[in-house]
Amino acid sequence: MLRKTALITGASGGIGLDLAVLAARDGFDCVLIARNEKKLTELKNVLEKRYQIKAYTFAADLSQADSVSRVLTYLDEQELTVDLLFNNAGFATSGRFAEIDPSEDIDSIHVNVVALTELTKRLLPGMVDRGFGRILNVASVAAFMPGPYMSVYYATKAYVLSFSEALASELDGSGVTVSCLCPGPTDTNFFNRANITLPFQSMPSHLVAFAGYRGTLKGKRVIVPGASNRAMVSLAKFLPRRLLTELTGRIQDPARQEQDTTEEDLAYSN
Ligand SMILES: NC(=O)c1ccc[n+]([C@@H]2O[C@H](COP(=O)([O-])OP(=O)(O)OC[C@H]3O[C@@H](n4cnc5c(N)ncnc54)[C@H](OP(=O)(O)O)[C@@H]3O)[C@@H](O)[C@H]2O)c1
């Protein structure tokens, strides 16, 4: 039987690394993509040794316009076809939109939206021809609401959810399914990179990845891991949009977070 191949973006850490472990454990060869080559090579070595699969690494900065073309060229050179595509790489900027470095916001749109769309566009036709494929796009609970002080990030994830659901509908009956994973706060490097404190209630990355992986293999359209995240998403669907936006803004307001920290610090010093 021909071995199947999974391509995972953002495989150097967090949810992507855990998705790669799950795919390798099931016997899929893995193409690991992220910027950090050293971490990818470490993961490749572990996966090949532990699960007797073949892993390939390709270091790429997905914010760069030619990155997806370079990935495609690499796949051709290695004569690889992709059966499972995990569009997981992503990052957030935080703060007042007017004050965030423009290049950071634009880079995040490239990674979260453009690279995800381009990889899907370039790999989907082959899946449709072969009559089999599984695509997982990683969005967030942020996809269900506007997010003041993380406005671009929330908007990119709304795109990912809308795009995934629409594509899943177009592909009905084709043998190719599209799933969208919408995690709530998850314990990874994500918050560090976004310069925000990890919320008190966060899920372990491997549980989030497992829910996404299992849902993808089953062809589930939208996967929200964790009961409290599902409750939040349900509430978001019913609240008036403006109220929802104000509430999210209050939680994420950097001035408010600073004030909370100061009060907390004072309580400790008393
Ligand atoms: N953690 C959460 O609370 C949470 C909640 C909801 C949704 N999500 C989503 O889950 C996905 C995975 O995030 P995570 O939580 O696992 O965060 P993470 O630990 O920071 O991992 C992010 C991954 O994306 C890769 N990446 C970032 N920028 C990249 C770029 N320019 N080019 C190529 N790869 C890039 C990183 O690799 P390199 O740094 O090596 O490039 C890393 O492998 C993201 O789409 C995120 O938006 C996370």
Side-chain angles (χ1 to χ4, degrees):
M1 204 177 84
L2 272 181
R3 291 165 69 132
K4 294 207 181 301
T5 302
L7 184 151
I8 305 109
T9 68
S12 62
I15 299 168
L17 185 149
D18 286 318
L19 285 169
V21 170
L22 290 165
R25 200 177 66 173
D26 275 354
F28 292 102
D29 289 338
C30 292
V31 183
L32 311 169
I33 294 172
R35 290 168 306 171
N36 191 322
E37 194 157 17
K38 187 167 170 276
K39 285 191 179 169
L40 292 180
T41 306
E42 280 167 13
L43 179 61
K44 166 191 159 76
N45 293 339
V46 171
L47 296 183
E48 288 188 338
K49 193 164 171 213
R50 203 184 283 172
Y51 302 113
Q52 286 81 51
I53 54 105
K54 177 98 183 96
Y56 304 80
T57 62
F58 189 77
D61 181 346
L62 294 173
S63 69
Q64 300 301 303
D66 66 345
S67 56
V68 171
S69 295
R70 292 199 307 112
V71 171
L72 268 290
T73 305
Y74 175 75
L75 294 175
D76 282 348
E77 283 166 3
Q78 301 294 325
E79 298 183 358
L80 289 168
T81 50
V82 173
D83 306 287
L84 271 68
L85 169 62
F86 295 102
N87 277 312
N88 160 78
F91 74 96
T93 55
S94 72
R96 287 180 189 279
F97 176 73
E99 293 165 11
I100 296 172
D101 178 348
S103 66
E104 279 282 295
D105 270 339
I106 302 303
D107 280 357
S108 77
I109 296 172
H110 271 281
V111 177
N112 300 1
V113 172
V114 179
L116 173 146
T117 309
E118 199 181 346
L119 267 174
T120 307
K121 184 142 215 91
R122 304 282 293 271
L123 294 175
L124 179 61
M127 292 180 180
V128 173
D129 286 348
R130 293 189 296 277
F132 177 82
R134 293 283 175 273
I135 298 175
L136 176 68
N137 293 327
V138 181
S140 163
V141 289
F144 296 90
M145 60 201 89
Y149 308 107
M150 287 177 83
S151 56
V152 171
Y153 179 70
Y154 276 58
T156 63
K157 294 304 183 181
Y159 171 94
V160 174
L161 177 62
S162 169
F163 171 63
S164 305
E165 286 186 286
L167 209 54
S169 169
E170 280 184 28
L171 291 166
D172 210 9
S174 69
V176 182
T177 60
V178 180
S179 304
C180 187
L181 174 64
C182 300
T186 308
D187 195 358
T188 66
N189 191 45
F190 176 84
F191 291 96
N192 246 343
R193 182 162 183 204
N195 275 324
I196 356 176
T197 325
L198 177 71
F200 177 65
Q201 263 199 325
S202 59
M203 274 181 80
S205 167
H206 69 275
L207 292 185
V208 171
F210 182 69
Y213 182 77
R214 192 183 45 188
T216 301
L217 290 195
K218 285 184 181 163
K220 207 172 160 190
R221 290 201 180 175
V222 180
I223 305 151
V224 182
S228 55
N229 293 324
R230 282 192 290 277
M232 195 207 305
V233 164
S234 304
L235 187 67
K237 285 178 185 162
F238 288 106
L239 280 182
R241 192 82 170 162
R242 183 165 179 151
L243 174 62
L244 179 65
T245 310
E246 298 308 318
L247 283 174
T248 317
R250 271 182 67 81
I251 295 165
Q252 293 184 162
D253 183 349
R256 201 180 117 88
Q257 283 184 1
E258 237 166 63
Q259 192 188 350
D260 287 351
T261 315
T262 315
E263 281 164 9
E264 213 173 88
D265 291 344
L266 284 175
Y268 274 110
S269 62
N270 281 337

